[in-house]
Amino acid sequence: MTQPISRFTVPDLDSLPDDMRDAILKVAEKSGFIPNIFLALAHRPAEFRAFFAYHDALMDKDEGLTKAERELIVVATSGLNRCQYCVVAHGAILRIRAKDPLIADQVAINWRKADLSARQFAMLDYAEKVTLDAGRITQADHDALAAAGFTPDEVWDIGAIAAFFGMSNRLVNAGDIPPNPEFYLLGRA
């Protein structure tokens, strides 16, 4: 049984504005397939553009957190939010960026039992607090991150990534968007 890409309207690729179609085809060229999230969000062009602009601003930086650390945050928070799509899709990206076929599964299930550094534990502890209990964040949380070696800009990024993917996880779950089968095997061997 094939699950639909979304419970909402999924437009035909050829019907999309040129900038969106080009962005989607660029991702398809790089990955070998079109991730379902692109097609699922394409029914609202302004939201598609805003979503991916902020996603890219957070995830494609070369300064501060590494790209693997950014993906660690996504996988951990998506696991906490029970978002199958983001755990599977970003788990694949994490495996590739960390060059570790085991890390994504460990982090998604229970990051506290994963083979992580003290710095990564501090980072994910804060990301979890942003995800589940942001109203209780205090100066002590920021002091712990500073002690772990994070700059204020990196702390902002940890919080922003956790918050952005909290929104993304909820949209994906509300839209019942399944992960592409291709994601399951990426970075495993």
Side-chain angles (χ1 to χ4, degrees):
M1 182 169 104
T2 302
Q3 184 177 352
I5 290 174
S6 175
R7 68 176 66 242
F8 299 100
T9 302
V10 176
D12 181 66
L13 189 60
D14 293 331
S15 71
L16 296 175
D18 291 343
D19 66 311
M20 290 172 56
R21 186 175 52 258
D22 292 347
I24 291 170
L25 292 175
K26 184 177 175 183
V27 168
E29 183 179 324
K30 185 175 179 179
S31 66
F33 62 96
I34 298 172
N36 287 341
I37 189 70
F38 285 85
L39 296 174
L41 294 179
H43 76 285
R44 297 266 183 108
E47 293 171 32
F48 175 99
R49 291 179 184 108
F51 180 93
F52 286 109
Y54 196 46
H55 172 279
D56 294 351
L58 289 172
M59 301 303 290
D60 291 342
K61 291 181 186 180
D62 289 324
E63 65 276 348
L65 301 174
T66 68
K67 291 187 178 183
E69 287 173 327
R70 292 171 193 280
E71 294 298 338
L72 271 173
I73 297 164
V74 177
V75 174
T77 58
S78 297
L80 293 167
N81 288 321
R82 300 172 58 137
C83 181
Q84 183 183 47
Y85 183 95
C86 291
V87 165
V88 172
H90 288 274
I93 298 167
L94 174 57
R95 289 189 297 273
I96 291 165
R97 292 201 168 148
K99 297 176 179 56
D100 182 343
L102 307 178
I103 193 68
D105 296 326
Q106 294 172 355
V107 169
I109 299 301
N110 183 352
W111 66 265
R112 292 180 186 280
K113 296 192 180 283
D115 186 19
L116 300 173
S117 69
R119 174 182 164 90
Q120 292 166 329
F121 270 97
M123 177 181 76
L124 295 184
D125 190 52
Y126 183 73
E128 180 176 296
K129 200 164 190 181
V130 170
T131 301
L132 300 178
D133 204 7
R136 292 182 166 258
I137 293 171
T138 67
Q139 184 61 44
D141 297 303
H142 288 261
D143 292 344
L145 288 165
F150 290 100
T151 68
D153 280 343
E154 291 170 330
V155 174
W156 176 270
D157 284 346
I158 296 165
I161 292 166
F164 177 81
F165 278 92
M167 186 255 325
S168 176
N169 297 158
R170 286 159 181 79
L171 283 174
V172 168
N173 280 330
D176 202 19
I177 302 167
N180 299 66
E182 294 90 343
F183 281 126
Y184 287 94
L185 298 178
L186 288 175
R188 292 211 185 264

